[in-house]
Amino acid sequence: PMILPSHLFLRENRRLQEANMRLEQENDDLAHELVTSKIALRKDLDNAEEKADALNKELLMTKQKLIDAEEEKRRLEEESAQLKEMCRRELDKAESEIKKNSSIIGDYKQICSQLSERLEKQQTANKAEIEKIRQKVDDCEHCREFFNKEGRVKVASSAKDGSDEDTDEEKETLKNQLREMELELAQTKLQLVEAECKIQDLEHHLGLALNEVQAAKKTWFNRTISSIKTVTGVQGKETC
């Protein structure tokens, strides 16, 4: 075999040593890079695990909030249904009361109309009776002396009063009839006034009932709107 000179051996040895040193340096660099990568990867892994734990806790909290929101929504829906039912009953009650009051007012108006007609008839009858009595007085020569043209009793002298007892009795009878007719007329007027007072009282109660119905409607509407807004807000939070 061919033998190389010594200087070639030295040159080749030097080249191999340099290559070995270069490879060792590259190996050290790679080892350092691997350690650094492992440390960074472990740090990233720890951060990812912390994020996963935080997200898991947040997910559990969100689920609990969702459950609470559903329970609140169910409670609000039940309250809304109860409120609607209560308002419906109150409205039905108020409408029934209004119908009842309207019927009573109609009855009282009919009674007042009948009383008015009766009063007018009674006044007409009284006038006719008074006119009839006045006509009788005018036709009677004895009675004519005790009444003037307006139908009022004249003041008679004591001598004539003492001399004509029959005329006094007739005069007293006429006075009693006039008193009875005036009393009956006054009673009829009193009944008419009482009926009008009752009608006014019923109209006042009817106005109060209508105001209560309007207030109940307004309160029910406001509560319903508030409940709808609350439920809508809860659903919006759930969607978010």
Side-chain angles (χ1 to χ4, degrees), residues 3-236:
I3 299 173
L4 296 175
S6 60
H7 66 276
L8 292 177
F9 280 110
L10 292 174
R11 183 185 302 170
E12 184 68 16
N13 188 24
R14 193 179 305 111
R15 185 181 66 78
L16 291 174
Q17 288 179 353
E18 289 177 356
N20 186 34
M21 291 179 63
R22 186 174 69 255
L23 291 173
E24 288 180 354
Q25 184 64 36
E26 289 179 357
N27 187 31
D28 292 340
D29 294 338
L30 289 174
H32 182 268
E33 185 177 353
L34 178 62
V35 172
T36 303
S37 298
K38 285 183 177 181
I39 293 173
L41 183 62
R42 186 61 190 176
K43 186 176 180 180
D44 292 339
L45 182 61
D46 292 339
N47 291 332
E49 289 177 352
E50 289 179 359
K51 284 185 178 182
D53 292 338
L55 290 173
N56 191 24
K57 290 179 180 179
E58 187 175 355
L59 178 61
L60 293 176
M61 291 176 63
T62 304
K63 287 181 178 180
Q64 186 62 40
K65 287 181 179 179
L66 179 60
I67 293 172
D68 295 339
E70 289 178 350
E71 291 179 355
E72 183 69 15
K73 177 185 176 182
R74 192 180 307 110
R75 185 183 65 81
L76 290 173
E77 288 176 349
E78 291 176 356
E79 289 182 357
S80 177
Q82 293 175 358
L83 181 61
K84 288 179 180 179
E85 181 63 22
M86 182 184 69
C87 290
R88 187 187 63 78
R89 288 197 302 267
E90 290 296 327
L91 288 174
D92 292 341
K93 182 179 178 182
E95 289 177 357
S96 176
E97 191 69 22
I98 289 172
K99 290 180 180 178
K100 182 179 177 182
N101 291 336
S102 299
S103 177
I104 293 173
I105 289 174
D107 292 340
Y108 270 101
K109 286 182 178 180
Q110 185 177 2
I111 291 171
C112 289
S113 177
Q114 292 174 356
L115 287 174
S116 298
E117 293 177 0
R118 186 177 169 187
L119 178 60
E120 291 177 359
K121 291 179 180 179
Q122 189 66 38
Q123 286 176 345
T124 304
N126 290 339
K127 288 179 181 180
E129 187 69 23
I130 291 172
E131 187 63 30
K132 186 177 179 182
I133 294 171
R134 186 179 299 169
Q135 188 66 33
K136 288 182 179 181
V137 170
D138 291 338
D139 294 339
C140 180
E141 294 180 359
H142 297 288
C143 299
R144 194 183 305 162
E145 298 176 0
F146 300 99
F147 292 90
N148 55 20
K149 293 181 178 180
E150 287 79 15
R152 296 181 181 178
V153 179
K154 294 180 180 179
V155 179
S157 62
S158 59
K160 289 183 180 181
D161 289 339
S163 63
D164 199 351
E165 295 179 357
D166 294 336
T167 305
D168 290 338
E169 291 179 0
E170 188 174 355
K171 179 178 69 175
E172 190 65 28
T173 302
L174 291 174
K175 285 183 179 180
N176 291 333
Q177 289 180 354
L178 286 173
R179 286 196 204 97
E180 289 177 0
M181 286 187 289
E182 289 176 354
L183 180 60
E184 187 175 358
L185 181 61
Q187 289 177 351
T188 306
K189 288 182 177 179
L190 180 61
Q191 291 176 356
L192 181 60
V193 171
E194 289 178 352
E196 289 177 351
C197 290
K198 288 182 180 179
I199 287 175
Q200 290 179 357
D201 186 55
L202 285 173
E203 288 178 349
H204 175 68
H205 285 297
L206 180 61
L208 293 177
L210 290 174
N211 291 334
E212 289 178 0
V213 170
Q214 294 295 330
K217 287 182 178 178
K218 186 176 181 181
T219 303
W220 173 81
F221 181 76
N222 291 335
R223 288 182 179 177
T224 303
I225 292 298
S226 178
S227 301
I228 292 172
K229 287 182 178 179
T230 304
V231 173
T232 305
V234 171
Q235 292 177 348

